[in-house]
């Protein structure tokens, strides 16, 4: 009951929020109550046997139809023709066309297949697909329109390789830097997650799903998958209703209202109830209350997990029953539905209505994609990684970069620098730079930092390169000692000779560019880390470089906030490049030489030490009366502050905020502020607006992000910005689970980071 009430309130809240946002047109994508469509679905359903219905709910992994690494037509036909399956995972290219043709030509009802794939940062799991920055990095751009554009390119490349269903975007609000999958989403803020994720949904799905270049987008992982215990993957989410409804559900609700066509359930349990068997959240909240009429797909084997690893079912048949009742329409890879649903329905344990509802949703997806209306699978690899797409990938990489620190070193002046030492294990590592969910890409597709610096430095500058150290030191088989990681096959121990060679090269340079960080598979499923420092001997290497006295630019390529306290104190300039994608090296070089001006802002908090984790910017007020942080909510051995706060990111120019005014009307608050470029270079600022509720019936948050805007300003120029906030957005959850707007005083904070000292403040009363 509690959940139902909450859902209703959050529904109204998010609806109003959406109407006032730029993405309102998205609701046009999936017209509801389309009679013709529903008639066609019913008509087809009425012709289907129970076997054909059950088959539609199965998604089979590519691995099941392969022999000796090649598509096995006998196995494929067994699933498509005899078992009537509705979908494959990871079948692409010519093989996608082959299986689609079998479905269209050799099955009784000629129902086309959904072909699903994870393309979370470009079509990176396809050879020669365009690889954009990994989402957490790209989120630093706060650039919805560029995110939409990259998603549209991804969709075009997917359709050119026969794939029509993308398992992206990742709406997991991620707050624990140890968690390996933090890199796959947009960071710790629910509002930003919703805005950026929805922009990508719009790009994937296009104006209409039936367009030739559109694919179905999937919001995943529903829900609270990222609320881990200690950052471990697949761990339970033991979570309050307030956190669930305020932090984890809103991005999904926004996506549903924006027309997303599928949602994936997560592996984790929520307060003991696994997401894939969770009728309260999936059937009641997502489907009944929010009105989601698309496809709910399980995660990989997560239906079978209800029996095999989570022990809420006594066998696979009971797992199937739980999942279908919960509202999971399609089972990914395990075959509990395929093997048991017919029996369950025929014995009356599962109603035909429930089965029909699931089948209709899958058919609806196929109709919406235009698959019944002559949409052809045309494989055309010439459409991949075009010059235009490369340019967009470069722009995405540029906007991904975050200048974490800069003390009079960057940009480098090419008139004075004659010798640059480029060092470090990620300076010329084309594959790791791309991040996870990526297959081996042609070397020539990727610009490493070394490539970029060589290309842009010009002939008068000598560029020397030495790797110096490995990414990790896998000194013990399996798990290495001293804060290392599992042996991820990254090359074993660093030799002293290799380190010495790099130090010697560095000694004779005018400047050192050290490219350090993590391997792609250190930030991935299920690779969480207990230490989030620079792995292996990299910090030792950095200290040795620093000791040469030659100025060091540190470039980080990594998938999570790292504890780089020493570097932040001692190294003059630090660029966070994340996993910046195929053009990352060019973007880094451009920033180093001042051809571009960095503008990214981190969307996760960087802690000083692992002991502060988890750490995020919004938290209960809990101040003392004198305004200081509450007594006791601190450590005795580290300051309260993070190393770098959410929203932080520098520029080569400076911005100043002034003249904040607030005009409350009956339904909305209008906040205006002036932003000036007070430096010497054109720059882009990401203006952030936070609101703090001073008193509420449940302890209010210190601040929450409500709006943001990217603006470009020339030196000496000022722009006046106005933000409209609907009062309903100020609603809070009360003790009895209602969402209400409570009258009182609110502070508005506007500025260039979540750090209070950088925020201009004003107040209003409701
Ligand atoms: C992941 C999902 C992914 C699926 C299919 C799972 O292991 O959790 O995010 O979509 O595999 O590749």
């Amino acid at each position: 009951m509690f959940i139902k009430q909450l859902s209703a309130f959050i529904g109204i809240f998010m609806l109003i929020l959406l109407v006032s946002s730029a993405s309102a047109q998205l609701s046009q994508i999936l017209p509801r109550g389309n009679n013709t469509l529903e008639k066609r679905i019913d008509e087809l359903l009425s012709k289907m046997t129970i076997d054909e219905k059950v088959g539609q709910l199965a998604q089979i992994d590519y691995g099941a139809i392969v022999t000796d690494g090649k598509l096995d037509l006998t196995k494929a036909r067994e699933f498509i023709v005899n078992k009537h399956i509705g979908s494959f995972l990871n079948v692409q290219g010519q093989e996608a066309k082959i299986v689609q043709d079998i479905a269209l030509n050799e099955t009784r009802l000629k129902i086309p297949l959904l072909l699903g794939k994870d393309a979370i940062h470009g079509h990176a799991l396809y050879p020669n697909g365009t690889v954009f920055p990994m989402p957490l990095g790209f989120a630093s751009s706060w650039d919805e329109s560029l995110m939409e554009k990259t998603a549209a390119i991804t969709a075009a490349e997917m359709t050119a390789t026969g794939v029509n269903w993308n398992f992206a975007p990742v709406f997991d609000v991620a707050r624990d830097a140890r968690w390996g999958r933090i890199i796959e989403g947009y960071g710790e803020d629910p509002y930003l997650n919703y805005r950026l994720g929805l922009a990508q949904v719009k790009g994937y799905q296009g104006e209409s799903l039936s367009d030739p270049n559109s694919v179905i987008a999937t919001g995943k992982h529903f829900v609270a998958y990222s609320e881990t215990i200690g950052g471990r993957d697949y761990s339970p989410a033991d979570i309050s209703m307030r956190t669930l409804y305020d932090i984890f559900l809103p991005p999904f609700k926004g996506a549903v209202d924006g027309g997303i066509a599928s949602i994936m359930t997560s592996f984790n349990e929520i307060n003991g109830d696994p997401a894939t068997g969770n009728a309260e959240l999936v059937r009641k909240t997502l489907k009944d209350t929010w009105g989601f009429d698309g496809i709910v797909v399980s995660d990989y084997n997560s239906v079978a997990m209800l029996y095999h690893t989570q022990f809420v079912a006594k066998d696979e048949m009971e797992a199937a029953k739980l999942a279908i009742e919960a509202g999971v329409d399609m089972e990914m890879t395990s075959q509990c539905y395929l093997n048991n649903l017919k029996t369950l329905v025929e014995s009356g344990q599962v109603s035909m209505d429930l089965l029909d509802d699931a089948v209709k949703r899958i058919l609806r997806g196929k109709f919406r994609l235009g698959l019944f209306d002559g949409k052809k699978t045309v494989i055309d690899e010439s459409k991949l990684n075009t010059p235009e797409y490369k340019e967009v990938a470069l722009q995405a990489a540029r906007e991904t970069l975050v200048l974490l620190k800069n003390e009079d070193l960057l940009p480098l002046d090419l008139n004075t620098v004659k010798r640059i030492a480029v060092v470090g294990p990620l300076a010329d590592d084309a594959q790791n730079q791309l991040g996870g969910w990526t297959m081996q890409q042609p070397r020539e597709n990727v610009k490493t930092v070394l490539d970029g610096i060589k290309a842009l430095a010009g002939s008068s500058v000598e560029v020397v390169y030495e790797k110096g150290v490995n990414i990790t030191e896998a000194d013990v088989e399996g798990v290495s000692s001293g804060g290392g990681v599992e042996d991820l096959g990254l090359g074993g121990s660093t030799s002293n000779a290799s380190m010495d060679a790099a130090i010697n090269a560095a000694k004779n340079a005018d400047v050192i560019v050290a490219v350090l960080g993590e391997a792609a598979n250190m930030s991935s499923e299920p690779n969480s880390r207990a230490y989030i420092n620079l792995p292996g001997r990299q910090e030792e290497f950095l200290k040795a470089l620093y000791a040469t006295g030659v100025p060091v630019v540190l470039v980080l390529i990594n998938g999570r906030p790292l504890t780089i306290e020493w570097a932040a104190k001692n190294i003059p300039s630090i660029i966070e490049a994340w996993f910046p994608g195929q053009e990352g090296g060019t973007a880094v070089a451009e920033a180093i030489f001042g051809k571009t001006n960095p503008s990214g802002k981190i969307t996760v908090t960087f802690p000083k030490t692992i002991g502060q984790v988890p750490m995020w910017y919004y938290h209960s007020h809990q101040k003392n009366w004198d305004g200081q942080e509450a007594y006791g909510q601190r450590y005795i051995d580290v300051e309260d502050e993070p190393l770098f706060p959410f929203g932080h990111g520098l520029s080569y120019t400076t911005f100043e905020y002034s003249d904040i005014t607030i005009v409350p009307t009956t339904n909305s608050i209008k906040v205006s502020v002036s932003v000036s470029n007070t430096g010497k270079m054109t720059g882009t600022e990401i203006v952030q607006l936070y609101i703090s509720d001073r008193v509420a019936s449940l302890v209010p948050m210190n601040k929450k992000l409500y709006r943001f805007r990217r603006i470009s300003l020339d030196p000496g120029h000022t722009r006046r910005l106005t933000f409209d906030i609907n009062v309903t957005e100020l609603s809070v959850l009360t003790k009895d689970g209602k969402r209400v707007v409570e009258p009182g005083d609110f502070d508005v904070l506007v500025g260039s980071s979540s750090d209070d000292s950088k925020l201009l403040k004003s107040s209003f009363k409701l």
Side-chain angles (χ1 to χ4, degrees):
M1 184 56 203
F2 176 66
I3 289 187
K4 210 164 184 179
Q5 274 177 354
L6 284 184
S7 307
F9 279 103
I10 204 167
I12 295 165
F13 163 67
M14 290 302 294
L15 196 74
I16 293 167
L17 197 153
L18 272 167
V19 169
S20 63
S21 82
S23 44
Q25 314 109 294
L26 259 176
S27 52
Q28 309 299 320
I29 292 178
L30 298 179
R32 302 283 152 84
N34 179 332
N35 287 337
T36 323
L37 171 68
E38 294 306 316
K39 257 197 207 141
R40 291 179 75 190
I41 295 170
D42 286 340
E43 207 179 301
L44 179 53
L45 186 78
S46 69
K47 294 185 189 146
M48 293 170 79
T49 63
I50 186 160
D51 289 311
E52 284 164 342
K53 289 180 183 178
V54 168
Q56 277 304 305
L57 310 192
Q59 179 177 67
I60 299 300
D61 188 50
Y62 179 57
I65 52 167
V66 164
T67 302
D68 298 332
K70 277 203 185 136
L71 178 66
D72 182 326
L73 287 179
T74 311
K75 287 182 179 172
R77 283 201 168 89
E78 172 63 15
F79 281 113
I80 305 167
V81 183
N82 298 341
K83 296 193 169 162
H84 323 283
I85 63 143
S87 176
F88 281 115
L89 172 68
N90 290 336
V91 180
Q92 53 184 356
Q94 291 302 342
E95 295 180 339
K97 180 154 173 48
I98 293 171
V99 294
Q100 200 63 276
D101 284 347
I102 295 176
L104 292 176
N105 301 324
E106 300 178 29
T107 62
R108 189 177 76 92
L109 294 171
K110 307 190 183 327
I111 302 177
L113 293 161
L114 288 175
L115 297 175
K117 189 88 199 164
D118 298 80
I120 71 165
H121 63 129
H123 199 18
L125 285 170
Y126 199 89
N128 197 34
T130 307
V131 186
F132 298 111
M134 284 292 278
L136 183 64
F138 197 10
S140 308
S141 70
W142 305 49
D143 189 341
E144 290 166 291
S145 74
L146 190 59
M147 289 210 147
E148 182 182 333
K149 200 170 187 175
T150 59
I153 290 171
T154 305
E157 290 193 350
M158 293 180 94
T159 55
T161 59
V163 185
N164 50 31
W165 189 5
N166 193 2
F167 297 131
V170 175
F171 280 108
D172 298 322
V173 173
R175 316 192 289 182
D176 194 318
R178 294 167 292 188
W179 188 48
R181 302 192 77 174
I182 191 172
I183 187 66
E184 295 183 33
Y186 309 101
E188 71 194 33
D189 183 79
Y191 176 72
L192 191 60
N193 261 266
Y194 143 68
R195 291 276 299 261
L196 300 183
L198 194 52
Q200 298 225 283
V201 171
K202 200 172 166 187
Y204 294 134
Q205 298 195 166
E207 283 296 307
S208 160
L209 277 176
S210 61
D211 289 347
N213 289 337
S214 294
V215 297
I216 289 180
T218 308
K220 67 186 191 184
H221 307 81
F222 191 82
V223 61
Y225 177 40
S226 44
E227 183 72 342
T228 78
I229 295 181
R232 297 175 188 89
D233 211 357
Y234 313 146
S235 65
D238 210 356
I239 190 174
S240 74
M241 282 301 140
R242 180 152 92 133
T243 302
L244 184 60
Y245 276 83
D246 271 354
I247 309 297
F248 291 102
L249 285 173
F252 288 98
K253 178 66 171 76
V256 168
D257 288 336
I260 195 163
S262 84
I263 296 283
M264 184 188 295
T265 59
S266 49
F267 289 125
N268 58 289
E269 66 194 67
I270 300 131
N271 301 332
D273 196 358
T276 298
N278 199 312
E280 195 68 32
L281 286 167
V282 181
R283 189 165 294 283
K284 285 201 191 148
T285 304
L286 173 68
K287 289 186 167 174
D288 295 349
T289 312
W290 295 356
F292 176 66
D293 68 354
I295 301 167
V296 175
V297 61
S298 78
D299 203 343
Y300 201 99
N301 288 347
S302 71
V303 175
M305 281 171 63
L306 297 173
Y307 159 58
H308 290 279
T309 64
Q310 291 173 319
F311 309 107
V312 292
K314 67 173 188 309
D315 51 24
E316 291 201 351
M317 184 176 291
E318 196 175 359
K321 182 170 184 296
L322 273 180
I324 190 96
E325 281 174 349
V328 173
D329 305 311
M330 181 172 276
E331 178 180 7
M332 186 190 284
T333 58
S334 50
Q335 296 176 27
C336 305
Y337 282 8
L338 207 51
N339 298 332
N340 300 292
L341 261 185
K342 185 176 177 185
T343 311
L344 284 167
V345 172
E346 286 180 346
S347 64
Q349 294 177 71
V350 165
S351 73
M352 185 62 94
D353 282 354
L354 220 55
L355 174 62
D356 283 351
D357 175 60
V359 177
K360 281 168 79 169
R361 286 166 182 272
I362 286 150
L363 297 180
R364 195 174 289 132
K366 294 180 177 185
F367 273 108
R368 281 174 173 160
L369 277 171
L371 298 179
F372 288 101
D373 298 312
K375 197 184 209 176
K376 296 257 174 337
T377 303
V378 183
I379 309 300
D380 184 355
E381 293 187 348
S382 72
K383 290 189 172 160
L384 304 179
N385 228 321
T386 63
E388 183 201 336
Y389 295 173
K390 287 184 204 293
E391 196 49 49
V392 178
L394 175 57
Q395 186 57 21
R398 285 176 182 138
E399 294 190 14
T400 291
L401 304 183
V402 183
L403 186 61
L404 289 176
K405 180 182 175 192
N406 191 25
E407 277 174 359
D408 298 329
L409 178 57
L410 292 179
L412 297 181
D413 181 353
L414 282 172
N415 297 315
T416 56
V417 172
K418 292 289 159 245
R419 194 160 201 259
I420 304 177
V422 180
V423 298
L426 287 145
D428 197 30
D429 184 334
Q431 195 60 30
N432 275 307
Q433 167 185 319
L434 300 179
W437 293 105
T438 308
M439 70 174 306
Q440 188 75 36
Q441 294 295 346
R443 175 63 182 88
E444 64 276 14
N445 281 14
V446 185
K447 302 289 177 294
T448 63
V449 175
L450 181 63
D451 296 334
I453 289 183
K454 277 187 176 161
L456 293 182
S459 52
S460 60
V461 179
E462 190 189 347
V463 178
V464 288
Y465 163 67
E466 288 288 344
K467 179 177 172 190
V469 291
N470 292 328
I471 299 176
T472 62
E473 302 293 319
D475 50 0
V476 174
E477 203 171 321
V479 177
S480 75
S481 56
V485 295
E486 273 186 57
D487 183 352
L488 298 167
L490 297 168
S493 333
T494 295
S495 71
N496 288 338
S498 162
M499 178 114 71
D500 291 347
I503 305 297
N504 284 336
K507 272 184 193 152
N508 300 320
D510 299 318
V511 64
I512 300 165
V513 176
V515 191
L516 309 180
E518 297 181 299
N521 58 2
M522 294 171 77
S523 283
S524 60
E525 179 189 357
N527 293 337
S528 296
R529 294 183 66 197
Y531 299 86
I532 54 167
N533 53 353
L534 281 167
R537 294 178 70 185
Q538 293 188 72
E539 185 155 315
E540 176 195 340
F541 179 53
L542 185 62
K543 286 178 176 164
L545 294 169
Y546 173 75
T548 62
V550 178
V552 180
V553 176
L554 170 61
V555 176
L556 294 169
I557 291 185
N558 55 296
R560 55 163 61 75
L562 296 175
T563 49
I564 47 160
E565 201 178 4
W566 182 88
K569 269 196 195 117
N570 297 286
I571 301 298
S573 293
I574 306 176
I575 295 176
E576 174 58 84
W578 303 106
F579 292 119
Q582 64 180 44
E583 310 294 331
T586 306
V588 169
E590 287 175 342
I592 286 177
F593 298 131
K595 289 189 187 305
T596 54
N597 188 353
S599 59
K601 308 261 191 189
I602 50 177
T603 64
V604 277
T605 301
F606 275 51
K608 288 187 168 135
T609 164
I610 187 73
Q612 289 176 309
V613 174
M615 192 177 203
W616 57 89
Y617 81 90
Y618 48 89
H619 51 79
S620 299
H621 260 316
Q622 305 256 350
K623 297 239 173 183
N624 283 337
W625 291 344
D626 61 3
Q628 298 302 305
E629 287 300 324
Y631 179 75
Q633 287 210 1
R634 62 183 179 94
Y635 298 100
I636 56 169
D637 46 6
V638 64
E639 300 91 13
D640 281 341
E641 292 72 36
L643 189 60
F644 299 110
F646 173 89
H648 167 78
L650 305 172
S651 163
Y652 294 148
T653 191
T654 46
F655 296 100
E656 254 177 47
Y657 288 72
S658 59
D659 301 328
I660 182 166
T661 56
I662 303 181
V663 182
T665 66
T666 330
N667 298 321
S668 76
I669 316 296
K670 249 188 215 326
V671 180
S672 301
V673 70
S674 297
V675 187
S676 310
N677 182 340
T678 50
K680 295 196 174 70
M681 195 170 173
T682 298
T684 296
E685 171 69 321
I686 298 168
V687 179
Q688 300 159 43
L689 186 154
Y690 299 86
I691 295 184
S692 168
D693 187 354
R694 285 201 203 153
V695 177
S697 52
L698 287 178
V699 181
M701 293 293 142
N702 58 335
K703 62 171 101 67
K704 280 163 87 177
L705 181 72
Y706 271 80
R707 290 289 182 273
F708 60 89
R709 199 165 302 160
R710 280 177 62 89
I711 54 163
S712 172
L713 276 180
D714 289 332
H717 281 70
T718 296
R719 234 172 103 181
R720 185 113 184 114
L721 305 175
T722 298
F723 300 92
D724 265 312
I725 295 126
N726 197 297
V727 288
T728 53
E729 293 178 60
L730 301 170
S731 65
V732 291
L733 286 181
T734 56
K735 279 178 228 180
D736 52 359
K738 292 189 177 138
R739 187 172 279 284
V740 297
V741 179
E742 296 184 340
D745 292 307
F746 294 80
D747 294 323
V748 176
L749 305 120
V750 187
S752 63
S753 135
S754 67
D755 176 2
D756 276 354
S757 65
K758 301 225 166 73
L759 292 162
L760 206 61
K761 184 166 157 184
S762 188
S763 309
F764 67 91
K765 202 184 254 313
L766 266 193

